[in-house]
Amino acid sequence: MKFISVKVYDPYQKKLFYEEISLPKNIYSENLVVIPTFFDFHTHVRLLEGQEDYESLKKACIAGGFSEVLIQPNTKPRLENSNVHERHKKLSENPYVKFYRTTSFFGSQEPNNIDILCYSTDGIEYNYNELVENFSKKKPHLLLDHSQMFEHPGIFYKKIENLPKRPVTNEAVAVARTILTGIEFGFRDFHIQHISSIYTLEMIKFLKKYANITCEVTPHHLLLTNEHIKNSNFKINPPLADQQTREFLIEAVKNNYIDILATDHAPHPDKKNDFEKDPYGTSNIEIAFSAFYTAIEDLMIVINKLCDSPRRRLKIKPKFDSENFVVVDLNQEFIVDSKKFYSKGKNCAFDGMKLKGKVIGVKINGKWGFWNGEYLFD
């Protein structure tokens, strides 16, 4: 072990300072920075044969610098009752990555504020009648909403290979429908997932007069546009937007109109390049920090919204000390190669793209779990 002086950024105290840190191997860079481990507000697991399970997801999280993640409900079967939640709890137990869970807004399980933190509609097609029915019978709690008018079919905002087109306004209209309906039934706490349009953010600004609302954006909506679409790894819900929207979303992050950076890590084995039949989603949790940093180009903003904001939103006490941190090299550039992912999801929309700012090391509970491309906990 060698002690070197490195820059440290603490987003919880908003402090930047230098400190002597012990690293497992010699490494030289003029721009190493020590930061807290990340929290992902939006993660998917599969548990299907040959697909992402908690072991492969744990490795992917550690390689990406994430020590805590929030699992979304659209598993098979859904996270919606006590039996399914108990199975996930047992499968996800480990000393290094904490897997919190959401629960389906349309199921019987309610949040417990321990490991089941909130309701979510993510990945679930629902209609207005189902929305009203569940608002009317459930106890108010934080609701994460994948805002979409599922009554109208569509895959892309921009027509691709003659597949159905969804109106860009669909998302914003769905945000208004969910929040205003929820308010009528006593709900006052909402989080809008993976926003992808200017109209959506304007709608959220208006509705904040009536409820506590936060929102998130993904790395793919900040770094990619519909002009990048070349195969079904770019089949994402909500769809990639145009360049003007991408620039707008980046500015919204910088101006604090968007509260949280979330991966929407949606792992699948290799897709068949069938836009109509292939599943939605991109696998990205291992390179999410780099994608966010490449898009936003401001370390403090990225870390605030990957570490502080999500934990603060869920009232989770952070760990940031000599036993728990991430080392990043802001100077290092690399080409994304999903074949090398620890995740079983190889469906990465960033494959072949050059990113800047690389996770070099991850220390959790006093042990180095990852260093310079090598997973160390096994």
Side-chain angles (χ1 to χ4, degrees):
M1 294 284 184
K2 181 181 180 181
F3 283 85
I4 65 170
S5 180
V6 297
K7 189 186 300 181
V8 180
Y9 177 58
D10 184 342
Y12 309 113
Q13 301 186 57
K14 301 295 186 286
K15 287 184 178 179
L16 188 65
F17 54 94
Y18 282 85
E19 189 170 296
E20 294 287 317
I21 299 290
S22 174
L23 301 180
K25 296 179 182 179
N26 292 347
I27 190 167
Y28 175 76
S29 174
E30 294 180 350
N31 214 351
L32 286 184
V33 184
V34 167
I35 50 182
T37 56
F38 311 137
F39 186 111
D40 188 33
F41 220 79
H42 193 149
T43 313
H44 295 275
V45 69
R46 303 301 177 196
L47 303 190
L48 300 174
E49 185 177 354
Q51 297 196 30
E52 193 88 295
D53 53 30
Y54 279 109
E55 181 63 23
S56 61
L57 179 56
K58 178 191 72 174
K59 292 180 180 180
C61 288
I62 291 169
F66 291 85
S67 64
E68 296 169 298
V69 301
L70 184 59
I71 299 294
Q72 298 302 310
N74 61 327
T75 55
K76 291 185 180 181
R78 287 181 189 169
L79 281 165
E80 62 180 3
N81 61 55
S82 59
N83 290 336
V84 180
H85 274 282
E86 188 60 30
R87 178 173 180 245
H88 278 254
K89 181 179 180 179
K90 289 180 180 178
L91 289 173
S92 65
E93 287 178 345
N94 72 90
Y96 302 115
V97 178
K98 175 64 177 178
F99 292 102
Y100 296 100
R101 300 184 303 283
T102 62
T103 190
S104 168
F105 187 56
F106 308 102
S108 59
Q109 176 68 50
E110 295 189 349
N112 60 19
N113 295 322
I114 300 171
D115 55 349
I116 307 171
L117 301 185
C118 49
Y119 294 117
S120 176
T121 68
D122 191 66
I124 302 170
E125 293 191 10
Y126 61 89
N127 60 43
Y128 185 59
N129 289 339
E130 291 170 316
L131 200 60
V132 171
E133 177 187 355
N134 284 277
F135 272 130
S136 67
K137 68 183 182 183
K138 283 185 164 53
K139 183 179 179 180
H141 204 283
L142 172 61
L143 171 62
L144 278 56
D145 189 42
H146 177 144
S147 299
Q148 182 178 336
M149 304 286 281
F150 292 95
E151 295 88 340
H152 182 82
I155 293 179
F156 294 103
Y157 298 147
K158 186 177 181 181
K159 206 165 194 177
I160 305 290
E161 298 181 0
N162 298 316
L163 293 178
K165 179 181 177 182
R166 193 173 83 196
V168 176
T169 52
N170 182 301
E171 186 177 84
V173 173
V175 167
R177 180 175 75 167
T178 295
I179 293 176
L180 291 175
T181 304
I183 288 172
E184 184 168 343
F185 289 95
F187 282 69
R188 291 290 186 276
D189 206 8
F190 303 90
H191 177 80
I192 306 303
Q193 298 176 298
H194 45 40
I195 68 169
S196 65
S197 86
I198 296 171
Y199 304 114
T200 301
L201 198 56
E202 293 301 316
M203 182 62 69
I204 290 171
K205 289 180 186 178
F206 168 74
L207 291 170
K208 280 185 175 182
K209 295 188 292 184
Y210 306 102
N212 180 34
I213 307 167
T214 53
C215 62
E216 70 188 40
V217 70
T218 70
H220 34 284
H221 288 103
L222 292 178
L223 205 52
L224 302 172
T225 73
N226 51 29
E227 297 299 326
H228 289 96
I229 296 172
K230 58 186 177 183
N231 57 50
S232 61
N233 285 340
F234 296 80
K235 182 185 176 184
I236 295 164
N237 194 13
L240 299 172
D242 56 23
Q243 179 67 13
Q244 179 185 7
T245 302
R246 186 185 79 86
E247 293 172 356
F248 175 87
L249 293 173
I250 290 173
E251 289 305 308
V253 171
K254 292 180 177 180
N255 292 320
N256 281 324
Y257 295 123
I258 294 176
D259 309 274
I260 290 169
L261 300 177
T263 72
D264 189 11
H265 173 69
H268 297 284
D270 290 335
K271 294 186 183 182
K272 307 301 182 184
N273 204 24
D274 184 330
F275 276 99
E276 186 173 7
K277 296 180 181 179
D278 279 346
Y280 291 103
T282 177
S283 174
N284 62 18
I285 202 163
E286 291 173 60
I287 49 87
F289 165 78
S290 305
F292 282 127
Y293 182 68
T294 302
I296 298 168
E297 300 179 311
D298 187 309
L299 177 69
M300 292 184 182
I301 290 176
V302 172
I303 299 311
N304 289 341
K305 295 180 187 295
L306 265 182
C307 300
D308 186 26
S309 296
R311 290 183 172 103
R312 188 188 303 274
R313 185 68 171 95
L314 295 170
K315 299 180 175 62
I316 292 172
K317 186 177 180 180
K319 279 185 180 179
F320 185 35
D321 51 34
S322 61
E323 306 294 288
N324 298 274
F325 60 83
V326 175
V327 181
V328 297
D329 183 349
L330 299 184
N331 286 347
Q332 189 167 157
E333 297 181 334
F334 66 99
I335 303 296
V336 177
D337 183 358
S338 65
K339 295 184 184 68
K340 297 180 179 179
F341 282 0
Y342 291 97
S343 169
K344 292 181 180 179
K346 309 304 180 184
N347 55 309
C348 183
F350 298 105
D351 224 13
M353 190 173 187
K354 181 186 287 187
L355 300 179
K356 184 174 183 178
K358 190 173 185 179
V359 172
I360 298 297
V362 181
K363 193 176 188 181
I364 300 176
N365 296 339
K367 296 182 179 180
W368 285 100
F370 182 80
W371 184 259
N372 206 20
E374 183 181 359
Y375 182 82
L376 301 176
F377 278 143
D378 287 345

